[in-house]
Amino acid sequence: MSDDDYCTVTDATRPPKADGPPYAECVLCREPTEYPESYKGITLCPVCAWQEAQRTACSG
């Protein structure tokens, strides 16, 4: 494993993007996401996804 791969997330799956409403709610703030309401699983809006990525990012 190289240093460049240290923070790389592998096998991460994302829900499919919705073509239009209805949209799934964000599990943190309950705002609409870009994912279809029919998706079963954790969905985050772009703001919460960015904040979660910042929170879990490698620090060094």
Side-chain angles (χ1 to χ4, degrees):
M1 177 187 283
S2 70
D3 289 338
D4 293 337
D5 294 334
Y6 183 75
C7 295
T8 302
V9 176
T10 57
D11 196 37
T13 57
R14 293 181 55 136
K17 291 194 177 185
D19 293 331
Y23 298 108
E25 288 184 348
C26 175
V27 296
L28 298 177
C29 70
R30 305 195 51 95
E31 291 293 321
T33 66
E34 56 192 16
Y35 306 113
E37 190 175 59
S38 61
Y39 179 76
K40 303 295 183 210
I42 297 172
T43 54
L44 298 173
C45 70
V47 172
C48 289
W50 182 83
Q51 290 173 343
E52 185 70 10
Q54 291 294 315
R55 187 181 72 77
T56 60
C58 295
S59 61

